[in-house]
Amino acid sequence: QQFLEAQEQIIKAYIRKEAANHNLNDTRTPREKRPFIGVMFPGKSTNEIIIQRQLNLDEDIFLKDHVLGGKVSVTDEKLLALAVVPFTMSIEMLAEAAAEMIPEKVLVEIKNIKANRWITLRDNKIELEMVAKLNANNQVYVFIREAESEKASFLLPIIEGTVIFADAYPKPIETNTFS
């Protein structure tokens, strides 16, 4: 019991310290903090931006760890199976695109996420378009679609969701002691 109480105190102290020091020691630029942001263009209105980003296996090497089918060739190490973007990375892309709309706020929630298919890299690359639309109450609706397709604007988004921002992070939920 004492161990659990001590553990709880340590974790709460750590969380309070991290919340108080959030971003104070981080010297990265906003662009360095958002590696999925590519070239930005204005959207159809002042409340919209369009971001184009090519994912490819030569630069985004983490994707080599996310292939379906494993090792394809014994003689050619460069030949890979179908690379897919993990769902969590897709959500990160939504968050980064939304953060470009409200850079002075902090992200507190992502909701209404809908994935219609995987993001797959055919020929080891894919050109994506992220469209972020600022709505009321610090909410940004974001969707990702393929940019290469001539019919891209008519296709279902690959993934979409609503990202919510606030002036500050909410206070941590008080927990009961472990028993």
Side-chain angles (χ1 to χ4, degrees):
Q1 182 65 31
Q2 286 178 320
F3 171 79
L4 292 176
E5 289 172 3
Q7 189 86 12
E8 180 182 8
Q9 289 175 354
I10 291 168
I11 290 172
K12 283 184 177 180
Y14 175 79
I15 290 171
R16 279 193 300 273
K17 179 183 173 195
E18 286 300 307
N21 293 331
H22 180 71
N23 284 336
L24 292 180
N25 300 321
D26 195 345
T27 59
R28 295 175 298 162
T29 65
R31 181 72 54 208
E32 290 169 331
K33 293 178 187 178
R34 299 185 187 120
F36 289 113
I37 300 301
V39 181
M40 278 194 289
F41 302 96
K44 295 177 183 177
S45 71
T46 57
N47 292 341
E48 179 180 297
I49 58 170
I50 299 170
I51 301 165
Q52 290 184 341
R53 170 70 154 81
Q54 183 185 75
L55 297 178
N56 67 64
L57 289 179
D58 293 329
E59 292 180 24
D60 303 299
I61 58 174
F62 72 92
L63 292 171
K64 291 181 180 179
D65 294 325
H66 300 278
V67 294
L68 297 179
K71 198 171 201 173
V72 175
S73 174
V74 177
T75 59
D76 186 356
E77 295 266 334
K78 293 181 181 179
L79 188 60
L80 296 172
L82 180 65
V84 297
V85 176
F87 185 67
T88 52
M89 288 294 141
S90 301
I91 295 171
E92 173 65 20
M93 293 168 75
L94 295 175
E96 288 184 19
E100 291 293 326
M101 295 296 295
I102 314 179
E104 70 280 0
K105 305 277 185 184
V106 295
L107 191 155
V108 294
E109 181 181 357
I110 302 177
K111 66 180 185 177
N112 302 328
I113 299 169
K114 181 180 178 184
N116 293 304
R117 64 180 178 89
W118 289 349
I119 299 175
T120 56
L121 281 73
R122 291 178 300 284
D123 299 322
N124 297 332
K125 64 183 178 181
I126 185 171
E127 188 76 34
L128 296 174
E129 206 169 70
M130 295 172 262
V131 179
K133 299 177 182 183
L134 179 62
N135 300 326
N137 302 324
N138 295 322
Q139 295 187 15
V140 181
Y141 168 72
V142 185
F143 65 89
I144 300 172
R145 64 182 175 209
E146 271 191 79
E148 296 170 349
S149 173
E150 292 176 6
K151 301 177 185 176
S153 60
F154 302 108
L155 297 175
L156 282 174
I158 298 171
I159 186 169
E160 61 189 307
T162 301
V163 185
I164 302 170
F165 294 86
D167 292 325
Y169 292 111
K171 292 183 179 179
I173 299 170
E174 288 296 324
T175 59
N176 296 331
T177 57
F178 295 109
S179 54

